[in-house]
Amino acid sequence: MPPRLGLQAETISRCRRLARDVAEAVRRETEPFTTVSTERSILRLLGVDGVDADDVPVPNRICDALLAAGKLPRGVSLWMGSALARGASDVSEAALRLSRPEGARDIEPHPRWREALAPHVGAGLARVRENRAERERRMARHPPDELPLLYAIVATGNIHEDVLQAAAAARAGAQCIAVIRSTAQSLLDHVPYGATTSGFGGTFATQENFRLMRAALDALEDELGRYVRLVNYCSGLCMPEIAAMGALERLDMMLNDALYGIIFRDINPLRTLIDQRFSRRINAAAGVVINTGEDNYLTTADAVEQAPAVLASQFINESLAKDAGLEPWQIGLGHAFEIDPTREDGLLQEIAQAAAAREIFPDSPLKYMPPTTHLTGNIFRGFQQNALFVLTSVATGQSIHLLGMLTEALHTPLMHDRWLAIDQAKTIRANARHLSDEILFAPEGRIVRRAREVLAGAERVLDGVARIGLFEALASGVFADTRRPREAGRGRDGVIARDPDHVNPFLEEFAREGAGAAR
Amino acid sequence: MPPRLGLQAETISRCRRLARDVAEAVRRETEPFTTVSTERSILRLLGVDGVDADDVPVPNRICDALLAAGKLPRGVSLWMGSALARGASDVSEAALRLSRPEGARDIEPHPRWREALAPHVGAGLARVRENRAERERRMARHPPDELPLLYAIVATGNIHEDVLQAAAAARAGAQCIAVIRSTAQSLLDHVPYGATTSGFGGTFATQENFRLMRAALDALEDELGRYVRLVNYCSGLCMPEIAAMGALERLDMMLNDALYGIIFRDINPLRTLIDQRFSRRINAAAGVVINTGEDNYLTTADAVEQAPAVLASQFINESLAKDAGLEPWQIGLGHAFEIDPTREDGLLQEIAQAAAAREIFPDSPLKYMPPTTHLTGNIFRGFQQNALFVLTSVATGQSIHLLGMLTEALHTPLMHDRWLAIDQAKTIRANARHLSDEILFAPEGRIVRRAREVLAGAERVLDGVARIGLFEALASGVFADTRRPREAGRGRDGVIARDPDHVNPFLEEFAREGAGAAR
Amino acid sequence: MTARSADPGRVRAYGDKWNDGVVQISFTLPLASSARATEAARQYVAAMGIREPYVALAEPIAPEFTFFVVYGRAAHEVDARAIAAEEVEAAALSRDEIDAEIALRFGRRLVVLGCALESDAHSVGIDAIFNPKGFSGDYGLERYANLDARNLGAQVPVETVVRIAREAAADAVLVSATVTQNEIHVRHLTDLVDMLEAEGLRDRITLVAGGPRIDHRLAKELGYDAGFGPGTTPSRVAAFVLEQASRRMQAPGDAPA
Amino acid sequence: MTARSADPGRVRAYGDKWNDGVVQISFTLPLASSARATEAARQYVAAMGIREPYVALAEPIAPEFTFFVVYGRAAHEVDARAIAAEEVEAAALSRDEIDAEIALRFGRRLVVLGCALESDAHSVGIDAIFNPKGFSGDYGLERYANLDARNLGAQVPVETVVRIAREAAADAVLVSATVTQNEIHVRHLTDLVDMLEAEGLRDRITLVAGGPRIDHRLAKELGYDAGFGPGTTPSRVAAFVLEQASRRMQAPGDAPA
Ligand code: B12
Ligand code: B12
Ligand SMILES: Cc1ncc(COP(=O)(O)O)c(C=O)c1O
Ligand SMILES: Cc1ncc(COP(=O)(O)O)c(C=O)c1O
């Protein structure tokens, strides 16, 4: 049991209440809309896939055609169902018809469209459920994982090199493998197709790349006697589509933050907040653990000053996630070890913040990110900071430990950079195994006081956001001093007012399943 | 204030009582003797120095001559005094006479020898006192040192390279500079002379080398705004002579262990225990802080098993030191961070042992030695272990921190190995400055229980040693499973039964000064 | 005898003795750990001209890969006297001096644009140069009275930069490049130069690149007037812009050396 | 397309792509930190044949010294197939097998001495080979029924070793050398060979050296029959002694290849 700070329960629940208000206001404001990406996700769940001659994904073609024909407000489901009811032999034939401008223009709603679509909705859901069950079966075969989970990234840009290095990392002890995306994939309004071998600072997230890596990790399961989790990024303009792809290919974790795209990629706030909801609905159903991206705040601003903003954002991410039906165990909240290592008593502040997060979110996994901004070309100093990071992680009972790289300031990880990080974390995790049981914090001491201060700060932030609402807060630069007006940013044109009779059959199913019960 | 374990005060004082009994028995058993090295030390304090044509130090020549003439049992003081009373113009002329076989043979005791010698005894003592006062003056000029003191070693074998690297280390932040001795200098029954440039694994301890390094460090004092301490080894066959040289050249710390030479160098127990007393008398007068060498036990045996033996040895070293007139602040007790880093909860045991030492010896500086035996060619892993070592040192309030080298398993420190270690320690020391105030140990937890276990083990060892006496204990292999019979080992022939009228004027003076008051 | 000191004409690494040439080298070979692999590592290092290579670590990090740490002596020598370190040539001036000089030489404010290109979302670097706060105690360009400093932020398309440069008649364009994997920075930096030339703007504008992996030599190669690496302070950049802009004023039309 | 795999004939370092040749090099140059010093570091590394040297760290560690960490690509290639790793040639046998073989071939116990020489006080290495406990689960020579294993300990004068070897008619002498600074180990190891030869004992005795810095090649050069480095297990040493002693029995008088 990690050492306790004795934070005031009332303060914590007050923060939660404020965050819930924020989340509910967001839902009210976003419910009237759908987005091209949400509609494309429905198509993917129905089994639509592939690209045309110009490498444009079929789901994009269909939505573009329906949009041009003014038919998207009623939702792709109606038209897919109608195409099927009107004789399309299967999903791909229906998709082919609707992807043609004239096909989209001429299609008429069919009264029995729902019946026609139902089996395909069922098939999609079945595959998602089956993947979830498959994961549970595989995990049940092995002893519980050691915590914190060691999370390694691969980022060569070439899926085949990634596979090679992921296998090496898993064998060395990595428990989660994240394939970092090619830079700014979040800005693409489509998902690339097939196996890819040239990315920048990462590898494109494609369904085929997901499949290749999933297969490679499954192949190691018996040798290692454990299940290796696969992670990717479910944020940006294609947030829900990637959630769908992940659900279909049995990814286990998704970086899935409600605000990251808005703040760090200048994606339209309305678009993102609509998309995050469906993407999280899908993740909830798929039994995926999401990771939020609060660590990003600390990469542009001082980690000590930003601590309250990080905590406030965690509360908001938590309530938006619950609102979308995610269970607490699925809500991996992000934070980071980013305080200047030369700062007097900085380590005490890191400990205070990490312990506070643990105490405030007892039922959620905490995703602890490594030092990055203060790493330099001094790779030895970097390795040292990572050692203190691991120790803090273990001593405060963190759940998901992203391995820091001694070469963080220089390049995406080399084969042995990653091995050194895994060996370091494994060694310290064992060497300090029960440290969290054995230390207590001096009452009213520096650590306890710092934790209280951060919580109080977070409450102030939440209070402000609740008063003006999240959209207004984003517009006025409450987060990371970045102003993001409701109507500005990339992808606004992909936001569509829903027709009264617009349906999203998957949302209906998820609701029926009562995934939403958690709300 | 470092975290407390709440060890039983009674157990601790019982250990101390047992250790005092051991020390008193040793004194009774050693008082009837003197040694060639003790007599040579008296000569050095009187101002005798230099070597003859065959590079044999004059003090050795004199003792050998007097020994051959059967005159050593009455002590060099009588004969030097007599030579002076009989017209030797000064110390060196007296020394010259006595260094010749016939001179030693023919010299007759002179009734007024004491008066003749007195001024030279006074001069020697004055220089020692003046050096001590000089150190205090210099230190008073600066703010108090940050703790733990960062202690760096130089070991090139060439005093000039040593000076260069020591200056670099001091500028980087080292507060103590230890010039490691050329391998096995402890086995030489004389002290080499002059500046030396070829040693192995270290540089010879010579008075000129002391002077050169002292001058180099003093020269940095104004630039750095602090006094840099100089350290050397005062153990082996020339233990007291090096103490004398150190007192004359203002060394600040001396590795000066009562048992190291016996156990690790197979030096005769009687010889060592006689010599350690006079060497410590000199160190006491010179205001030197001694460092004991318990860390050495952990280099040949398991650090977890040996913990009680280390603690027992610290108690014995402490009481022998007090018995020789050293104040608690001068008794630097050694221990080390040597537990296998891959051991489950090993870090908790390190913390327990370090905290226990701090709690048991509250008024003595603790000399904390770095991981060495478990370091390998993996220099990154080594740097990581050193980081945990620094953090443990800071968190448990250690006093003298010997910097670990990432290349410990490979070579004596390179210029940048040392820099990296200093930078690491400085950074963590500041980053965790008040950690020791902020953590407590869970009552009855693993850490507290481990500390108790070690103390109980130490009591058992001391009980056994007290019962049979130290010599018998050494003979029966109580320490480091090494058997060292009273009459065996190097340098036994240098032990001489004292004549009833044998005098050591310096011992008399030290006693008068009441340096012995502490006993 | 005192420790032999260095001959600047024949510089070598210093381990713990003058000119011992001690270096540490680490790398991974795609070979399963074995005596053979260790010998391969030794030969690989020997091929670099390293004497007495000593393999301190041969760690199997994957079935077919071994990580090595090797120590040895690099007998190579460098003539430090002969080195002409490619450095930005511009006198170090204070903010006030620069503002004064601009007023004096141009009688107007200089227009300076800043950005990171295309997919590169790293803005901290360019912000460090532009934001009033600046970098390590040195104020940013937006604080300069006589600089009209406009930070366009990150992820700016090349066309956009060129358009604004034309519209604003920019005197200088400062580009930050952080993501360098697979040479993507080279691609974007080159695109900008090409497009500026195509538009006939290149000669009128002082073009500067910067970033953790950028140095003066590389920037020159890519057709920039200067490159700045890690730890750059805004005033050094401002001083260079002043320098270059003045030259351009004297010799309008043709690019300065 | 799958990740290209290695050509054993042309092995190169693997950073994060096949044959990218990425290596990390660190060292200190006796130059004050400056752009010039950084360029000197780049040239020093370039002189090793490293392409695209990138100076990641240039840290002033003393007024006239700068510590560098450099990354680059070593284009050198090693032919892994052609490598004949200098390895001790002796079949791996178990303790029982060895005891049995000794009984069979010699019908007596083999006398084996162990020590560290002169000033070298490091006994842990030789103890690991001799003490019953052994090393990493492999029992030490003193546990062998048919070895009369006598560990003389550390700091043993060369003459003493030779005397005891003569008196005990030793079949093998195993020497541990740990302190290697300024080549002191070479000195002591050579002294022993010389004195054994002077006494006409060398050919009768299997002479083995070991230690953290010892390898087979070095030991051979110094006139030993074999050398063992870090991680050696006693049984490997015993197997070699058996091997050699047998050869000597067949061809008495003349040293085996
Ligand atoms: C902060 C950061 C981020 C933040 C950026 C936030 C923001 N708004 O800037 C976030 C989290 C968003 C991020 C994301 C990514 N990052 Co990033 N990130 C970093 C990090 C940790 C610090 C960079 C930084 O801010 N440095 C501080 C500034 C002040 O230093 P600087 O940039 O060098 O600037 C100085 C000088 O270079 C110079 N300078 C810089 N620009 C200019 C311009 C001019 C004109 C002049 C004169 C001078 C100058 O002056 C400045 C002051 O001295 C580095 C690792 C590290 N420790 O360096 C990785 C790093 C740069 N990121 C990296 C990568 C790969 C990414 C991603 C692409 C990963 C992914 N696939 O998701 C993403 C996507 C980003 C994108 N689309 O481009 C890699 C780049 C590898 C490479 N060489 O190609 C690094 C090195 C980490 C790593 N080892 O993988 N990142
Ligand atoms: C323990 C130790 C000590 C102990 C020794 C206690 C003892 N009774 O042995 C003490 C504290 C006394 C000590 C003192 C010194 N030490 Co010391 N010590 C070490 C240390 C930490 C570990 C060595 C060890 O025990 N290794 C474990 C054994 C099992 O490994 P091994 O020796 O490699 O043996 C294996 C193989 O090599 C092989 N092997 C070894 N011998 C043989 C023999 C044969 C025949 C065969 C077949 C195989 C074989 O088999 C073994 C099992 O696999 C090393 C640093 C390190 N981490 O390695 C420094 C180290 C060896 N010491 C060093 C030095 C310089 C000293 C001193 C000289 C320093 C000084 N000036 O005071 C002193 C003096 C010692 C002396 N007079 O020789 C240096 C040597 C540098 C160099 N290469 O020259 C080292 C590397 C530390 C450093 N970086 O400075 N030391
Ligand atoms: C939640 C989240 N999504 C995405 C990314 C990065 O991906 P991209 O560069 O495609 O935005 C990050 C980076 O840390 C993140 O935290
Ligand atoms: C007390 C003490 N004296 C001396 C030494 C080493 O010196 P030498 O090799 O001359 O015995 C050590 C080594 O750690 C020591 O602890």
Side-chain angles (χ1 to χ4, degrees), chain A residues 101-117:
Chain A
E102 60 287 5
R105 193 188 56 229
D106 304 341
I107 184 85
E108 290 295 324
H110 189 286
R112 313 276 299 292
W113 71 270
R114 270 179 174 281
E115 293 81 333
L117 194 68

Side-chain angles (χ1 to χ4, degrees), chain D residues 167-237:
Chain D
E167 292 167 5
D171 296 283
V173 175
L174 315 186
V175 187
S176 181
T178 298
V179 180
T180 63
Q181 206 200 33
N182 298 333
E183 306 302 310
I184 188 163
H185 60 312
V186 173
R187 182 188 304 182
H188 294 147
L189 289 170
T190 319
D191 288 353
L192 179 60
V193 176
D194 296 348
M195 192 170 288
L196 283 173
E197 265 162 2
E199 303 253 334
L201 293 169
R202 175 65 187 90
D203 299 347
R204 284 204 254 115
I205 293 173
T206 296
L207 198 53
V208 175
R213 291 294 201 101
I214 304 293
D215 60 31
H216 192 54
R217 181 194 286 113
L218 173 66
K220 285 286 218 181
E221 281 169 20
L222 299 180
Y224 285 65
D225 297 316
F228 292 83
T232 307
T233 48
S235 59
R236 284 194 48 227
V237 184

Side-chain angles (χ1 to χ4, degrees), chain C residues 125-143:
Chain C
I126 193 67
D127 291 347
I129 302 302
F130 275 74
N131 290 3
K133 182 156 165 290
F135 188 74
S136 68
D138 189 62
Y139 289 134
L141 304 189
E142 292 170 11
R143 273 242 189 164

Side-chain angles (χ1 to χ4, degrees), chain C residues 7-230:
Chain C
D7 167 356
R10 311 180 56 195
V11 175
R12 238 190 224 180
Y14 180 109
D16 73 343
K17 277 175 211 51
W18 284 100
N19 304 318
D20 56 20
V22 174
V23 299
Q24 174 272 126
I25 304 184
S26 68
F27 53 86
T28 292
L29 290 184
L31 296 171
S33 154
S34 70
R36 219 170 222 67
T38 300
E39 178 57 23
R42 207 184 278 109
Q43 290 186 16
Y44 192 54
V45 170
M48 302 174 195
I50 307 297
R51 307 221 178 119
E52 303 166 39
Y54 168 63
V55 177
L57 178 71
E59 182 76 48
I61 61 171
E64 293 300 319
F65 292 84
T66 308
F67 174 51
F68 295 95
V69 173
V70 183
Y71 278 82
R73 304 173 181 283
H76 317 78
E77 287 173 343
V78 175
D79 182 348
R81 295 162 321 193
I83 291 176
E86 284 277 320
E87 261 187 297
V88 175
E89 58 295 305
L93 299 173
S94 76
R95 184 161 123 264
D96 296 345
E97 290 167 331
I98 293 168
D99 276 333
E101 277 304 311
I102 295 175
L104 194 73
R105 301 188 200 173
F106 298 87
R108 64 171 177 92
R109 299 173 76 208
L110 294 179
V111 179
V112 181
L113 306 182
C115 63
L117 297 172
E118 300 291 345
S119 64
D120 199 331
H122 292 89
S123 58
V124 181
I126 193 67
D127 291 347
I129 302 302
F130 275 74
N131 290 3
K133 182 156 165 290
F135 188 74
S136 68
D138 189 62
Y139 289 134
L141 304 189
E142 292 170 11
R143 273 242 189 164
Y144 286 64
N146 291 333
L147 287 182
D148 175 355
R150 310 182 195 173
N151 184 351
L152 309 180
Q155 293 189 355
V156 187
V158 169
E159 311 88 270
T160 315
V161 180
V162 175
R163 180 172 47 72
I164 298 176
R166 193 190 318 95
E167 292 167 4
D171 296 283
V173 174
L174 315 186
V175 186
S176 181
T178 298
V179 180
T180 62
Q181 206 199 33
N182 299 332
E183 306 302 311
I184 188 164
H185 61 311
V186 173
R187 183 187 305 183
H188 295 147
L189 290 170
T190 319
D191 289 352
L192 179 59
V193 177
D194 296 349
M195 192 170 289
L196 284 173
E197 264 161 4
E199 303 255 333
L201 293 169
R202 176 66 187 89
D203 298 347
R204 284 203 254 115
I205 293 172
T206 296
L207 198 54
V208 175
R213 290 294 201 102
I214 304 292
D215 60 32
H216 193 53
R217 181 195 285 110
L218 173 67
K220 285 285 216 181
E221 280 168 21
L222 300 179
Y224 284 66
D225 297 316
F228 292 83

Side-chain angles (χ1 to χ4, degrees), chain B residues 142-409:
Chain B
H142 312 293
D145 290 281
E146 251 182 66
L147 296 180
L149 294 174
L150 305 185
Y151 175 117
I153 68 168
V154 291
T156 66
N158 177 329
I159 186 62
H160 307 295
E161 302 275 0
D162 284 348
V163 161
L164 176 91
Q165 295 187 31
R171 286 196 167 98
Q175 294 155 293
C176 311
I177 297 293
V179 180
I180 303 291
R181 284 201 297 190
S182 180
T183 169
Q185 179 171 353
S186 16
L187 307 185
L188 302 180
D189 209 344
H190 69 277
V191 182
Y193 184 78
T196 66
T197 59
S198 60
F200 303 96
T203 306
F204 286 100
T206 73
Q207 192 162 344
E208 178 61 7
N209 287 349
F210 287 3
R211 205 186 53 70
L212 288 167
M213 186 60 80
R214 173 79 280 164
L217 299 181
D218 285 349
L220 288 168
E221 187 178 339
D222 293 337
E223 174 189 336
L224 303 180
R226 52 189 170 83
Y227 178 79
V228 182
R229 294 169 177 74
L230 178 56
V231 189
N232 210 294
Y233 295 83
C234 172
S235 50
L237 288 169
C238 298
M239 205 186 241
E241 273 182 282
I242 293 182
M245 288 161 38
L248 297 174
E249 300 300 337
R250 189 164 32 91
L251 267 71
D252 307 290
M253 288 188 189
M254 283 284 188
L255 274 77
N256 184 204
D257 191 287
L259 308 178
Y260 170 87
I262 301 169
I263 298 166
F264 296 99
R265 289 287 179 270
D266 193 12
I267 295 173
N268 173 260
L270 199 52
R271 166 88 175 249
T272 302
L273 285 162
I274 298 163
D275 283 349
Q276 64 87 24
R277 189 145 197 281
F278 189 44
S279 69
R280 287 170 166 195
R281 280 299 211 181
I282 297 170
N283 287 330
V288 162
V289 170
I290 66 162
N291 297 175
T292 62
E294 279 80 6
D295 51 284
N296 293 290
Y297 293 104
L298 309 181
T299 60
T300 51
D302 178 70
V304 173
E305 289 165 18
Q306 289 291 311
V310 166
L311 182 52
S313 171
Q314 289 172 323
F315 274 114
I316 293 174
N317 256 312
E318 179 193 44
S319 46
L320 285 168
K322 283 182 174 169
D323 190 63
L326 285 157
E327 304 285 342
W329 64 266
Q330 291 181 287
I331 307 171
L333 295 164
H335 62 138
F337 186 92
E338 287 278 20
I339 296 174
D340 183 341
T342 65
R343 185 185 176 105
E344 163 135 351
D345 281 334
L347 187 63
L348 279 66
Q349 296 175 306
E350 291 288 12
I351 293 170
Q353 292 168 204
R358 180 69 294 167
E359 191 163 315
I360 293 167
F361 304 102
D363 306 322
S364 290
L366 293 175
K367 161 82 166 290
Y368 204 20
M369 303 287 286
T372 63
T373 50
H374 292 288
L375 263 62
T376 67
N378 184 339
I379 58 177
F380 300 98
R381 163 84 79 97
F383 205 62
Q384 158 187 332
Q385 285 170 247
N386 288 330
L388 296 181
F389 168 57
V390 176
L391 190 65
T392 305
S393 184
V394 172
T396 57
Q398 303 299 305
S399 326
I400 304 167
H401 181 91
L402 195 145
L403 295 158
M405 295 292 139
L406 75 169
T407 53
E408 169 66 24

Side-chain angles (χ1 to χ4, degrees), chain A residues 180-184 200-202 233 260 264-265 295-296 299-300 338 372-376 407-413, chain C residues 119-126 128-129 135 155 174-181 208-213 228-233 237:
Chain A
I180 302 291
R181 284 200 296 189
S182 180
T183 169
F200 302 96
Y233 295 83
Y260 170 87
F264 296 99
R265 289 286 179 270
D295 51 284
N296 293 291
T299 60
T300 50
E338 287 278 19
T372 63
T373 49
H374 292 288
L375 263 62
T376 67
T407 53
E408 168 67 23
L410 306 176
H411 48 240
T412 45
Chain C
S119 64
D120 199 331
H122 292 89
S123 58
V124 181
I126 193 67
I129 302 302
F135 188 74
Q155 293 189 355
L174 315 186
V175 186
S176 181
T178 298
V179 180
T180 62
Q181 206 199 33
V208 175
R213 290 294 201 102
F228 292 83
T232 307
T233 47
V237 184

